[in-house]
Amino acid sequence: MKSVVVHAGGKMTVEECPMPVISAADDVLVRIAYSGLCGSDIPRIFANSSHFYPITLGHEFSGQVVSTGEDIHDLQEGDAVACVPLLPCFQCEECKQTAYSQCKHYQFIGSRRHGGHAEYVVVPRHNLFKLPQGASLLHGAFLEPVTVGLHALKLAGGCRGKEVIVIGAGTIGQLIIQAASASGASSVTAIDINPQRLALARETGASHVFNSATTGADDIRQQTHERRFNQLIIETAGTPQTVALSLDIAGPKAQVALVGTLHKDLTLNVATFSHILRKELTLLGSWMNYSAPWPGSEWQQAMQLFAENKLNLEPLIASIGDPDEFVREVTALAGKPMTGKILLNMTGS
């Protein structure tokens, strides 16, 4: 089968690899339809941060069931599925407390083991979300990133009636903007330094946008003064500057959900730190996208948003290509962030 293989040093190649085979009673063989590049994959490709090389990445994928192990009775050949990439042990104390994302012995599809940037993959049954009949396989490849934002909203107790501010309008940020807009937020504000991302956010659900490269925290705070109460601020960019901005612009008793992963040390000055105390802010750490019962209500909610046509994905897609085209698009990033989702198309069409 064809597989997109990443080697140490940032080299990506399309290779013929052995066909995976079912080896356990709860295994499922899936033919991949679409598989997305995640922002977390970029350092694995270009910064030698993968757990091993060579590796086939890909944890945002959809496909169709080819065959199943003998213990599987709720999936049939041809069923459409999407990847649930975390493999918790379900045995440690964290898992017993349904804190699956804190599992002490977890594995992860497309990171700690080979993933979906290939024609076929074998995964355990509990790592597949069965899509409703007639659901779009393209939507299925976005299911996992949608649930990342929905998990943050769930931890915050939802967003209905809240003034939602999303800092960082990349793919995750854009999906949160759309989900919050569809889920009853009073207003949705997008903050980024990229004018194109802000324009897209305005088109797809944001009621207010600010370019933080040209508008300072004081100005943003003044312009959101009428919406300073009942705020939910969601930080997705994962930089020290945007975390500090989240605290600087927060209104009284705001919730601040931290979703973005930092790659540099964070230092808060006295004034910024004092906002946490003086405004009595609630800080929420949001890690991955799982809850009980496994994999969590976030996944059902995401599928419902798709079924109701509440999410507009096409403007978020930078490219969809076969393995060779996918490699060219990813290689051209040269380690820089994506401007839109890059998707591998294994459907042959």
Side-chain angles (χ1 to χ4, degrees):
M1 69 168 186
K2 285 187 177 181
S3 180
V4 175
V5 181
V6 178
H7 298 265
K11 182 181 179 183
M12 296 181 68
T13 56
V14 179
E15 302 178 14
E16 285 292 331
C17 295
M19 180 85 169
V21 296
I22 288 175
S23 59
D26 65 342
D27 276 349
V28 181
L29 175 64
V30 177
R31 180 179 176 86
I32 303 298
Y34 298 98
S35 186
L37 183 75
C38 177
S40 66
D41 291 330
I42 294 176
R44 296 184 183 118
I45 298 168
F46 296 102
N48 288 324
S49 68
S50 182
H51 292 281
F52 62 91
Y53 294 98
I55 184 172
T56 296
L57 299 174
H59 62 267
E60 302 175 359
F61 64 79
S62 64
Q64 293 178 302
V65 173
V66 176
S67 58
T68 65
E70 59 186 17
D71 285 353
I72 308 301
H73 304 292
D74 61 342
L75 288 177
Q76 306 296 325
E77 180 181 355
D79 283 347
V81 292
C83 179
V84 181
L86 180 68
L87 291 96
C89 71
F90 294 109
Q91 300 299 319
C92 68
E93 286 304 312
E94 282 74 11
C95 283
K96 290 177 182 178
Q97 296 297 322
T98 70
Y100 303 118
S101 297
Q102 284 81 54
C103 174
K104 297 301 185 184
H105 312 290
Y106 77 93
Q107 292 291 309
F108 201 89
I109 296 167
S111 168
R112 294 172 181 258
R113 58 184 286 181
H114 294 302
H117 292 346
E119 285 189 88
Y120 296 90
V121 69
V122 168
V123 299
R125 169 65 184 92
H126 63 253
N127 289 103
L128 293 174
F129 184 93
K130 185 177 179 181
L131 301 178
Q133 189 169 5
S136 163
L137 286 169
L138 181 61
H139 289 176
F142 276 87
L143 190 62
E144 194 274 345
V146 171
T147 61
V148 171
L150 292 177
H151 184 62
L153 294 178
K154 179 175 182 173
L155 292 174
C159 64
R160 183 167 297 279
K162 295 180 181 178
E163 311 292 342
V164 176
I165 300 175
V166 179
I167 300 180
T171 299
I172 296 296
Q174 297 282 353
L175 291 170
I176 294 174
I177 289 165
Q178 293 191 34
S181 178
S183 301
S186 291
S187 70
V188 181
T189 298
I191 300 176
D192 203 285
I193 60 173
N194 185 308
Q196 288 75 31
R197 287 179 173 182
L198 292 173
L200 177 58
R202 175 74 84 174
E203 292 175 12
T204 57
S207 46
H208 308 84
V209 299
F210 294 99
N211 189 323
S212 56
T214 58
T215 307
D218 288 343
D219 289 336
I220 294 174
R221 192 165 52 246
Q222 289 176 9
Q223 293 185 56
T224 57
H225 181 77
E226 297 301 320
R227 303 185 304 281
R228 68 190 183 279
F229 297 107
N230 203 20
Q231 284 183 349
L232 168 57
I233 300 173
I234 305 177
E235 195 286 323
T236 72
T239 71
Q241 296 90 338
T242 49
V243 172
L245 180 64
S246 301
L247 304 175
D248 287 339
I249 67 172
K253 299 184 180 297
Q255 295 174 297
V256 180
L258 303 176
V259 176
T261 302
L262 285 176
H263 297 286
K264 295 181 180 179
D265 289 342
L266 170 66
T267 301
L268 298 179
N269 61 39
V270 172
T272 296
F273 178 80
S274 71
H275 291 316
I276 301 173
L277 308 183
R278 292 176 179 272
K279 298 177 186 177
E280 297 188 341
L281 304 180
T282 299
L283 302 186
L284 299 169
S286 183
W287 186 244
M288 294 200 235
N289 40 352
Y290 305 96
S291 60
W294 175 266
S297 60
E298 300 91 325
W299 296 76
Q300 297 290 347
Q301 184 182 357
M303 204 63 248
Q304 187 65 31
L305 289 172
F306 283 127
E308 296 173 355
N309 294 315
K310 296 291 182 65
L311 300 178
N312 184 9
L313 300 182
E314 282 68 24
L316 309 184
I317 299 172
S319 68
I320 305 178
D322 65 20
D324 292 317
E325 293 169 318
F326 180 77
V327 167
R328 286 195 294 271
E329 291 287 342
V330 176
T331 301
L333 292 174
K336 297 178 181 178
M338 290 179 286
T339 56
K341 181 62 70 176
I342 298 175
L343 285 163
L344 171 64
N345 181 355
M346 298 300 286
T347 67
S349 61

